[in-house]
Amino acid sequence: MKYSKATNYALHTMLFLVAASPDKPVGVQQLAERQHVSPTYLSKILTKLVKAGLIQSVSGANGGYQLKQKKDDISFLDVIHAIEGTASLFDCTLNHSSECLIQQVMVEAENRMEDYLQNKKLSELAAKVTVDL
């Protein structure tokens, strides 16, 4: 199982925003430079995070992005779902009924992982992040 690079960038971006001052938006250029990624590519990721309601875009000379939700409410799973979607990781190709034994095991494993990621908040890591604005 592997998450996309976009999810990696999204998680790092969100962690930075959770650790940053809530009153000061952070520009896409600064976020991109911090991760050594193109601002254009990161903008597409940020758009998904905005659509998911995790962050908001602030217009103007001092504009950028900032959290829309309370930082203590944002989980790893929220960010992953914003980028990857909510489709199941496993789809049984041989037996499409709910009685498929392999499907049952895979769904249980995925549910356990999602429970863990839903309970793991980005704010738990924020104190360990250095934010230079």
Side-chain angles (χ1 to χ4, degrees), residues 2-132:
K2 184 175 181 177
Y3 289 113
S4 67
K5 286 183 181 181
T7 295
N8 184 3
Y9 291 127
L11 285 166
H12 282 89
T13 297
M14 289 299 296
L15 180 58
F16 183 81
L17 291 174
V18 165
S21 169
D23 301 329
K24 185 177 178 187
V26 182
V28 67
Q29 186 67 36
Q30 183 179 9
L31 291 168
E33 286 173 4
R34 185 171 176 87
Q35 297 186 67
H36 308 289
V37 65
S38 121
T40 304
Y41 179 61
L42 190 58
S43 289
K44 293 176 185 175
I45 294 167
L46 291 165
T47 298
K48 288 183 178 185
L49 295 171
V50 168
K51 285 182 182 178
L54 298 174
I55 62 173
Q56 60 188 0
S57 175
V58 178
S59 302
N62 295 319
Y65 294 89
Q66 63 188 40
L67 297 180
K68 186 171 183 181
Q69 293 186 8
K70 290 191 294 184
K71 67 180 181 178
D72 293 333
D73 293 342
I74 302 170
S75 73
F76 276 69
L77 189 62
D78 294 332
V79 179
I80 291 167
H81 280 172
I83 304 302
E84 303 284 345
T86 59
S88 180
L89 297 173
F90 182 81
D91 185 26
C92 184
T93 58
L94 297 179
N95 184 348
H96 295 291
S97 74
S98 60
E99 297 171 6
C100 175
L101 298 176
I102 291 176
Q103 179 77 17
Q104 290 173 13
V105 170
M106 298 305 285
V107 166
E108 181 182 349
E110 188 173 339
N111 287 340
R112 287 182 183 188
M113 180 181 69
E114 286 193 354
D115 285 345
Y116 176 80
L117 292 170
Q118 183 62 47
N119 289 314
K120 195 68 169 172
K121 305 300 181 186
L122 287 168
S123 60
E124 295 172 31
L125 305 178
K128 300 176 185 177
V129 175
T130 304
V131 177
D132 300 320

